[in-house]
């Protein structure tokens, strides 16, 4: 991948999965100009969270609720791409030992078992592990899939090494929730030399949009609430990135590659980085926000496969991440917003993300230079 709008093209999962409806979102063009997962934590009959749970492990508790798994499973771009990767690359899985990190309901483990894996170890820390065990048993794969309940960093596998690590670790803004580090830990501890990590590449992109109406509704709203000034909330609202679906017609610049990560080789610290960007206006317009999204790819397949979460691709449950600017930037075609983005784990809670954005515009109608800070919580 290069630092421009030329994205890799992936094989459409629809072409390779039997009995699967539309899956890959990549037959829609990606950006070619120059979970959310917050589930109601109140106990209910649709919970597998025990009554004595506290908020100390809220991250894992949130994955004990059925709703978040329903949302992910119904994301056909996500789930059917993984299904395509596994079913159409059985040579990778035949008679191999597989580790599924963050297995959830066990769907990826079941795909692997059906594809001919010798054994699959499905690791899930939340109470959904209990459901996964039942799902595996009901579907007749108990002799192939073993569900292990616990944190990957704290348990021991019944085997010394595995041939494949598969995981759907991506969060909003790619890195929110920091599950990637658990995958890297498992890779370093259990993956055989020359083993396979799926997916093995992930790339984060940035673009800019016109979004006057939504910014007015979500940010400027706090200036006058039934005649009262609540601007203090506006300050907080602009600091928190918004996860939402962006209309591709709002895109006003090129899409800039910020970071590509090779999951098979990277170090845990590589997920914190500073990357420069240059967003060139494709037309005269106003810029209200920057938008981040990611692509993932499976390069060890017979043919390149993967998916995008970008505005020009089919919608996924990850949507896009919108970072509103304090300034409204007036850009003329060909003018560039230049700057850098720094991404780092929050020191108090490493599953959260701190973002620092520096940007400058020296245009015919607008000059601006600012540093903004965002917190994904």
């Amino acid at each position: 991948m290069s630092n421009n709008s030329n994205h890799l093209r992936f094989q459409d999962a629809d072409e390779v999965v039997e009995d699967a409806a539309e899956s890959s979102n990549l037959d829609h063009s990606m950006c070619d100009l120059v979970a959310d997962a917050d589930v109601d934590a109140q106990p209910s009959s649709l919970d597998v969270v025990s009554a004595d749970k506290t908020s100390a492990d809220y991250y894992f508790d949130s994955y004990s609720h059925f709703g978040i798994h329903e949302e992910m499973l119904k994301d056909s771009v996500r789930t059917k791409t993984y299904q395509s990767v596994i079913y159409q690359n059985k040579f990778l899985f035949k008679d191999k030992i597989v580790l599924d990190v963050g297995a959830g309901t066990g769907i990826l483990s079941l795909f692997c078992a059906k594809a001919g894996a010798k054994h699959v170890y499905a690791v899930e820390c939340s109470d959904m592990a209990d459901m996964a065990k039942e799902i595996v048993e009901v579907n007749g794969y108990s002799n192939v899939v073993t569900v292990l309940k616990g944190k990957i960093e704290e348990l021991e596998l019944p085997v010394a090494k595995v041939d494949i690590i598969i995981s759907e670790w991506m969060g909003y803004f790619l890195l929110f929730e920091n599950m990637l580090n658990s995958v890297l830990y498992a890779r370093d501890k259990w993956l055989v030399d020359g083993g396979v990590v799926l997916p093995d590449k992930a790339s984060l992109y940035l673009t800019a949009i016109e979004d006057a109406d939504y910014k007015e509704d979500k940010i400027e709203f706090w200036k006058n609430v039934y005649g009262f000034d609540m601007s203090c909330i506006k300050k907080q609202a602009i600091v928190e990135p918004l996860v939402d679906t962006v209309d591709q017609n709002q895109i006003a610049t090129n899409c800039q590659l910020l970071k590509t990560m090779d999951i098979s080789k990277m170090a845990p610290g590589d997920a914190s980085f500073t990357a420069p960007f240059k967003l060139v206006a494709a037309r005269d317009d106003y810029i209200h926000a920057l938008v981040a999204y990611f692509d993932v790819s499976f390069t060890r397949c017979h043919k390149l496969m993967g998916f995008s979460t970008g505005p020009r691709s089919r919608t996924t449950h990850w949507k896009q991440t919108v970072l509103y600017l304090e300034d409204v930037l007036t850009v003329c075609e060909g003018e560039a917003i230049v700057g850098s983005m720094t991404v780092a784990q929050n020191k108090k809670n490493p599953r959260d993300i701190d973002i620092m954005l520096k940007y400058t515009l020296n245009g015919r109608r607008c000059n601006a230079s600012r540093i903004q800070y965002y917190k994904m919580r």
Side-chain angles (χ1 to χ4, degrees):
M1 295 186 179
S2 59
N3 287 338
N4 57 34
S5 59
N6 296 322
H7 289 53
L8 291 174
R9 295 291 296 175
F10 301 114
Q11 184 177 7
D12 186 355
D14 298 344
E15 299 172 1
V16 294
V17 178
E18 296 179 3
D19 301 324
E22 291 183 318
S23 55
S24 173
N25 59 353
L26 294 166
D27 44 351
H28 295 277
S29 64
M30 295 186 204
C31 191
D32 52 9
L33 295 171
V34 183
D36 84 16
D38 183 15
V39 179
D40 187 0
Q42 295 301 315
S44 74
S45 60
L46 296 181
D47 265 322
V48 291
V49 182
S50 59
D52 59 350
K53 287 285 185 180
T54 70
S55 60
D57 283 331
Y58 175 75
Y59 168 72
F60 293 111
D61 286 354
S62 69
Y63 282 89
S64 297
H65 297 253
F66 293 100
I68 190 172
H69 295 281
E70 179 183 0
E71 181 184 31
M72 292 188 294
L73 290 169
K74 287 182 175 178
D75 182 343
S76 61
V77 172
R78 163 199 181 269
T79 307
K80 289 180 181 176
T81 297
Y82 274 88
Q83 185 184 40
S84 300
V85 166
I86 296 166
Y87 285 2
Q88 298 303 316
N89 293 276
K90 292 181 180 179
F91 71 94
L92 289 175
F93 296 89
K94 182 67 173 176
D95 297 325
K96 296 295 174 54
I97 305 296
V98 180
L99 173 59
D100 181 359
V101 180
T105 58
I107 186 66
L108 301 188
S109 295
L110 292 169
F111 288 159
C112 293
K114 190 173 181 179
K118 181 178 180 181
H119 205 89
V120 183
Y121 294 99
V123 176
E124 173 59 39
C125 189
S126 79
D127 283 343
M128 187 55 67
D130 301 324
M131 294 291 100
K133 290 178 183 179
E134 185 174 340
I135 291 167
V136 168
E137 183 177 349
V138 166
N139 286 278
Y141 284 100
S142 295
N143 60 328
V144 181
V145 179
T146 299
V147 179
L148 301 172
K149 186 176 181 180
K151 296 180 181 179
I152 191 72
E153 296 86 353
E154 297 176 359
L155 54 74
E156 290 296 329
L157 297 182
V159 293
K161 293 291 181 180
V162 301
D163 302 298
I164 298 172
I165 292 177
I166 193 166
S167 180
E168 194 278 86
W169 54 266
M170 298 80 71
Y172 302 129
F173 191 73
L174 183 61
L175 297 169
F176 183 57
E177 295 181 337
N178 193 32
M179 189 179 163
L180 175 58
N181 274 1
S182 294
V183 175
L184 300 182
Y185 176 91
R187 178 201 67 186
D188 293 342
K189 186 169 184 178
W190 285 298
L191 190 64
V192 298
D193 291 340
V196 177
V197 179
L198 297 172
D200 59 329
K201 295 288 176 63
S203 298
L204 185 66
Y205 291 86
L206 191 69
T207 189
I209 61 169
E210 181 281 325
D211 201 22
D213 292 343
Y214 208 73
K215 185 180 181 184
E216 181 70 25
D217 181 55
K218 290 292 184 180
I219 306 296
E220 304 303 330
F221 163 78
W222 298 105
K223 285 184 176 180
N224 186 337
V225 182
Y226 296 99
F228 296 97
D229 185 346
M230 297 187 181
S231 297
C232 57
I233 298 180
K234 172 188 171 182
K235 295 175 183 177
Q236 182 64 27
I238 206 166
V239 164
E240 297 180 0
L242 176 70
V243 175
D244 206 347
T245 301
V246 172
D247 186 330
Q248 62 177 311
N249 294 321
Q250 296 176 259
I251 299 172
T253 71
N254 63 305
C255 297
Q256 170 79 57
L257 174 64
L258 290 177
K259 177 78 171 180
T260 293
M261 292 178 285
D262 185 337
I263 316 305
S264 63
K265 299 177 181 178
M266 67 180 290
D270 293 344
S272 295
F273 60 89
T274 297
F277 63 82
K278 182 179 181 181
L279 301 176
V280 180
R283 60 176 183 259
D284 294 356
D285 212 334
Y286 299 102
I287 302 297
H288 298 91
L290 302 189
V291 174
Y293 66 93
F294 64 88
D295 297 353
V296 294
S297 55
F298 302 77
T299 70
R300 298 291 294 270
C301 298
H302 178 63
K303 293 183 178 180
L304 180 64
M305 302 180 74
F307 61 84
S308 173
T309 65
R312 294 184 180 275
S313 299
R314 227 165 68 216
T315 304
T316 70
H317 78 281
W318 287 286
K319 304 177 184 177
Q320 291 88 41
T321 302
V322 182
L323 300 93
Y324 284 108
L325 304 178
E326 292 185 20
D327 305 301
V328 176
L329 305 179
T330 304
V331 294
C332 299
E333 182 178 351
E335 293 180 347
I337 304 167
V338 296
S340 65
M341 178 177 284
T342 299
V343 178
Q345 297 174 14
N346 180 263
K347 293 181 180 179
K348 291 184 178 180
N349 185 353
R351 296 197 182 278
D352 295 343
I353 298 176
D354 294 332
I355 302 169
M356 181 176 70
L357 177 68
K358 296 181 180 179
Y359 62 88
T360 299
L361 170 65
N362 293 314
R364 296 194 298 275
R365 300 180 181 176
C366 180
N367 289 278
S369 184
R370 190 181 291 274
I371 299 176
Q372 283 188 233
Y373 298 89
Y374 303 88
K375 298 178 181 180
M376 291 202 73
R377 300 289 184 264

